[in-house]
Amino acid sequence: MSSADVHDIDLKAFKNDPYPILKYFRKNSPIAYVPQLNATLFSKHQDIFICEKNVEIFSSVQPDGLMTKLMGQNMMRKDGDAHITERKAIFPTVSPKTVKNFWKNQFVEKTNKIINNIGNKRELELVSEFSTQVSAEALKLITGLSGMTWMEMDRVSQGMIDGCSNYIGDPAVAKNCDDCTRSIDLHIDAQLKHPNLHDSPSLLSSQLDAGLSMETIKANIKLAISGGQNEPRDAIAGTIGTLLNNDSQLKMIKSGSKSWLQAFEEYARWMSPIGMSPRRIAKDFNYKEVHFYKNDMIFFMFGSANRDEEIFQNPDHFDISRDNRSSISFGAGPHFCAGAWISKTLIAEVALPLFFSNFSNVQLKKTLEFEGWAFRGPKKVILENWDK
Ligand code: HEM
């Protein structure tokens, strides 16, 4: 355990709304040990920005971590050359060029289908009836697991997320996580026999082309599923709900003076879908008068950095007009989100514009509520006055 000041937190309150607690940390104890999380939290933008790049100390390799044990050692749990090799291997899947020339049209086709299936409902719950499907259909394309249903994609993603945060060792959660990883393995095995395997630049196809081992390929596909389903799901529903709550800002986009991308990027700053990324201290180290010991766990709190008063004016306010180039919603180091370009295109060029052009007369029926601190998103987004 590091020598940082010790601060207890109420985990329930933290899950409900981490921002007041993180604000307190930024002001009073920017590097704080939190017993309830058994980790030292970095809450200031500058510290995260500097330390995340120092991979000699702040290592991603966590052999005893739940993610490695349950999903295999994926690229998010590797440093240096081992990590770079795998990032290069998946570049043909996630590059801006592939997203523009290959994935975008398919995202449009899938999203239009989902919108048409919604029909003439008077009331719609956005997370379960729209954004979950949009996100899962995109992920089926990107991973290459076309045989999976969108419901199964969402189920296995959530099952792995739950498994990776199962610190109390609940056997039911562990069993369900095993079932989810097994389902993914079976889908990969089935896809390997598919004659059209190499017809798309999917994660499966790109990694096979690069000659990665099957163990690594499977681990990285599980990573993309655990990290690529709920963020777009939450960001699509959250941005739509938040814009409906801020009508004047929605009007600016509709009139063309602001863009859907500005709305998504501001949402991702303001309600960071991934609030933290963990690291392990590789060797004893001092930083800002705090002593860290080998194997201490560190949490880089991206959600807190994105509301740092020294970087953003009036940071608790959602404002699509602000300059948010300094936000680190996708990370700030070598593990910068591999799916960033995919997400920007799927959310800002496809899901948001198609949704609002098809449903121009919707309103929020209930107040928006968010939950989560490591992953954060809207609980439900209920809309009414359906005029499609
Ligand atoms: C709103 C959407 C998304 C957000 C906000 C987001 C955010 C993040 C963050 C914060 C990280 C960790 C960065 C770090 O520790 O420095 C990450 C890593 C990653 N994300 Fe995303 N993500 C999103 C969507 C996606 C999607 C759709 C995919 C699917 C391909 C994806 C794949 C990955 C991968 C593979 C990594 C690990 C990269 C590495 O280890 O080099 N993400 N993401």
Side-chain angles (χ1 to χ4, degrees):
M1 161 182 159
S2 75
S3 70
D5 291 348
V6 178
H7 285 271
D8 286 298
I9 59 168
D10 175 347
L11 265 184
K12 209 171 152 210
F14 198 56
K15 187 177 172 200
N16 192 36
D17 185 0
Y19 289 114
I21 298 167
L22 292 169
K23 188 177 196 164
Y24 173 88
F25 279 163
R26 284 195 301 278
K27 185 159 185 241
N28 302 295
S29 200
I31 300 177
Y33 177 78
V34 175
Q36 289 73 17
L37 301 173
N38 192 19
T40 302
L41 273 53
F42 281 53
S43 54
K44 289 289 288 178
H45 187 285
Q46 191 197 30
D47 293 330
I48 297 173
F49 200 75
I50 292 169
C51 293
E52 195 184 345
K53 292 167 186 76
N54 185 358
V55 297
E56 303 281 309
I57 302 292
F58 297 91
S59 171
S60 292
V61 180
Q62 297 162 30
D64 297 326
L66 280 171
M67 183 188 253
T68 310
K69 285 184 174 161
L70 297 170
M71 290 162 47
Q73 192 183 8
N74 57 53
M75 68 175 77
M76 190 68 221
R77 292 290 176 265
K78 291 181 184 175
D79 294 327
D81 288 346
H83 169 246
I84 290 169
T85 305
E86 291 173 32
R87 277 299 286 243
K88 279 191 182 151
I90 67 161
F91 187 69
T93 308
V94 300
S95 77
K97 198 169 150 199
T98 310
V99 176
K100 184 168 176 265
N101 296 337
F102 198 85
W103 299 128
K104 186 179 167 183
N105 282 345
Q106 300 187 58
F107 292 164
V108 169
E109 196 185 309
K110 297 278 181 194
T111 306
N112 272 328
K113 223 179 232 173
I114 293 163
I115 287 175
N116 286 336
N117 285 341
I118 289 173
N120 291 319
K121 286 187 155 187
R122 299 290 305 160
E123 187 175 302
L124 181 80
E125 200 290 289
L126 216 46
V127 180
S128 57
E129 296 184 82
F130 179 63
S131 65
T132 302
Q133 283 185 61
V134 173
S135 182
E137 289 295 352
L139 210 45
K140 281 168 58 183
L141 294 166
I142 294 156
T143 54
L145 303 190
S146 54
M148 238 187 213
T149 63
W150 68 264
M151 287 82 89
E152 180 64 356
M153 183 59 87
D154 192 57
R155 183 187 82 86
V156 296
S157 176
Q158 194 56 52
M160 290 190 296
I161 289 172
D162 294 342
C164 292
S165 54
N166 183 20
Y167 302 115
I168 55 165
D170 183 335
V173 173
K175 191 164 170 254
N176 181 52
C177 181
D178 274 351
D179 181 67
C180 293
T181 54
R182 202 172 321 111
S183 168
I184 296 170
D185 286 338
L186 291 175
H187 278 280
I188 293 174
D189 294 342
Q191 208 60 35
L192 288 171
K193 297 179 200 132
H194 204 286
N196 300 337
L197 173 62
H198 289 288
D199 282 2
S200 87
S202 68
L203 285 176
L204 183 54
S205 154
S206 298
Q207 292 184 95
L208 284 167
D209 286 347
L212 299 189
S213 73
M214 192 44 67
E215 196 186 342
T216 299
I217 292 174
K218 286 185 168 175
N220 283 330
I221 288 182
K222 286 169 194 154
L223 167 69
I225 293 176
S226 73
Q229 166 63 6
N230 61 334
E231 295 85 352
R233 176 195 73 198
D234 293 345
I236 291 167
T239 308
I240 293 173
T242 306
L243 284 172
L244 290 170
N245 243 349
N246 291 274
D247 196 43
S248 58
Q249 300 194 46
L250 180 56
K251 282 194 179 118
M252 289 197 272
I253 302 173
K254 286 185 173 169
S255 72
S257 67
K258 295 287 171 248
S259 68
W260 296 111
L261 184 61
Q262 283 171 297
F264 162 56
E265 289 183 337
E266 171 61 356
Y267 175 82
R269 179 201 69 79
W270 176 71
M271 201 56 72
S272 306
I274 294 195
M276 77 92 175
S277 194
R279 297 292 185 271
R280 183 185 58 84
I281 295 292
K283 52 186 173 204
D284 287 13
F285 178 67
N286 278 304
Y287 180 75
K288 293 202 168 166
E289 294 175 20
V290 176
H291 189 75
F292 294 93
Y293 297 91
K294 187 175 173 180
N295 291 332
D296 279 346
M297 283 309 294
I298 300 299
F299 289 174
F300 290 136
M301 306 303 289
F302 295 145
S304 177
N306 283 339
R307 293 211 189 186
D308 191 330
E309 303 68 9
E310 282 188 66
I311 309 287
F312 303 102
Q313 250 183 23
N314 199 4
D316 294 335
H317 182 58
F318 174 83
D319 175 8
I320 63 170
S321 301
R322 78 166 72 241
D323 176 356
N324 60 20
R325 275 174 295 180
S326 302
S327 73
I328 53 173
S329 320
F330 289 108
H335 291 276
F336 183 86
C337 176
W341 206 262
I342 288 171
S343 304
K344 286 181 191 191
T345 302
L346 175 67
I347 297 167
E349 293 182 29
V350 180
L352 299 180
L354 283 183
F355 181 83
F356 279 104
S357 66
N358 278 276
F359 305 110
S360 52
N361 191 24
V362 286
Q363 289 172 10
L364 275 175
K365 190 174 180 186
K366 290 204 174 134
T367 315
L368 271 183
E369 282 181 66
F370 298 90
E371 70 176 343
W373 62 274
F375 295 104
R376 188 159 178 83
K379 282 189 197 170
K380 280 186 176 170
V381 183
I382 302 177
L383 307 182
E384 64 179 351
N385 273 352
W386 219 228
D387 65 350
K388 187 159 188 319

